[in-house]
Amino acid sequence: FRLDEKPYLLKDKWIVLTLENIENEKLYALKKVENYKEVLYSLAELIEKRDPYTAGHSKRVATYAKKIASKMHLTKQNCDMIYEAGILHDIGKILIPSEIIEKPTKLTPEEFKEVKKHPFYGYKAIKDDQQISPTTKAVVLLHHERLDGSGYPNGFTGEKIQDAVRICAICDAFDAMTNDRPYRKALSFDDAINEIIKCKGSHFDPELVDIFLEILSNK
């Protein structure tokens, strides 16, 4: 396997782990796995090790998302599925080149176009596996969709975006805003809240925004 071949998780439970990708993007480990989900969780951790600016991002998104689901009085099973979805939402980024992920300046249009492929890469990795819930698959593919259709990869609007996706989208955006990135400093807590409020009803579900702000106010 070469980097430009864009290796995916394979259907027969063989998985390409880009363990050395973090350092030199040349060596790959091929491993037979019994518990596919454990490996996916490991991949989620690998992604964050590639980029120290995103360390802890997936767990924070998952924790926020589960709190929203709990406030909505969803079942424990559904809350757990939404937590899993939050953990795995960015796994497609393992296939985005490090020079893009770690770039210290603003991305070019072509580079951003490549970053926008990560939901598809992640979805392709998990779509055929029965151990992964439909909820998680939807979140991985659609967490950058917006209510007004301005998101990606499909430009879905309104009811085409499932509740779990709407939940994780708010949490993902807030955590991204409140943590440093190579190309920008984090927004303050209050500024990030104002951004979420500004996008209420356009990018984000208004009722879920209200629940999320209530959770943040009780931190």
Side-chain angles (χ1 to χ4, degrees):
F1 294 96
R2 302 191 313 274
L3 182 63
D4 59 3
E5 288 178 331
K6 295 294 186 186
Y8 296 105
L9 314 192
L10 306 181
K11 294 180 182 178
D12 63 357
K13 300 291 195 241
W14 285 87
I15 184 170
V16 178
L17 293 179
T18 55
L19 296 174
E20 302 298 328
N21 186 357
I22 299 168
E23 296 182 0
N24 58 29
E25 297 192 344
K26 292 179 181 178
L27 301 177
Y28 294 90
L30 193 63
K31 181 179 179 182
K32 182 74 172 181
V33 296
E34 297 299 330
N35 191 328
Y36 198 53
K37 194 176 291 188
E38 282 185 12
V39 175
L40 291 175
Y41 272 61
S42 296
L43 276 177
E45 291 182 7
L46 265 177
I47 293 163
E48 296 189 354
K49 288 179 181 177
R50 289 179 74 192
D51 179 8
Y53 287 94
T54 62
H57 170 69
S58 293
K59 286 186 178 179
R60 289 191 298 269
V61 169
T63 299
Y64 282 139
K66 189 172 182 178
K67 287 181 179 180
I68 293 175
S70 180
K71 276 279 187 182
M72 295 171 68
H73 304 294
L74 300 185
T75 66
K76 182 181 184 303
Q77 181 182 17
N78 284 331
C79 289
D80 289 344
M81 281 194 294
I82 287 173
Y83 182 86
E84 174 188 273
I87 291 290
L88 298 180
H89 76 282
D90 268 345
I91 59 168
K93 285 187 176 178
I94 199 70
L95 296 179
I96 305 299
S98 290
E99 61 265 25
I100 294 178
I101 293 290
E102 300 170 8
K103 186 177 179 180
T105 55
K106 186 177 179 180
L107 298 180
T108 67
E110 284 303 310
E111 289 168 336
F112 186 54
K113 185 177 179 180
E114 181 63 24
V115 170
K116 288 169 70 174
K117 295 177 183 178
H118 79 270
F120 171 74
Y121 291 155
Y123 177 73
K124 186 169 182 179
I126 65 175
K127 67 183 180 69
D128 295 321
D129 195 274
Q130 299 304 309
Q131 293 186 43
I132 307 300
S133 72
T135 295
T136 296
K137 293 173 185 178
V139 169
V140 169
L141 180 62
L142 304 175
H143 63 278
H144 284 290
E145 299 287 358
R146 301 293 180 251
L147 290 186
D148 61 5
S150 64
Y152 63 88
N154 297 314
F156 283 168
T157 60
E159 295 306 314
K160 292 183 179 179
I161 305 172
Q162 298 96 319
D163 285 347
V165 176
R166 297 181 188 207
I167 290 170
C168 288
I170 296 170
C171 302
D172 182 39
F174 180 80
D175 190 73
M177 286 189 283
T178 52
N179 286 277
D180 289 339
R181 290 292 185 266
Y183 53 88
R184 64 148 175 84
K185 287 293 186 181
L187 294 182
S188 70
F189 184 83
D190 288 341
D191 285 344
I193 286 178
N194 288 335
E195 284 296 313
I196 294 293
I197 293 172
K198 186 168 72 174
C199 295
K200 181 179 177 180
S202 57
H203 291 188
F204 307 122
D205 183 296
E207 292 184 12
L208 295 179
V209 167
D210 289 342
I211 294 172
F212 185 54
L213 295 180
E214 181 183 347
I215 290 168
L216 292 178
S217 69
N218 293 327
K219 284 185 66 175

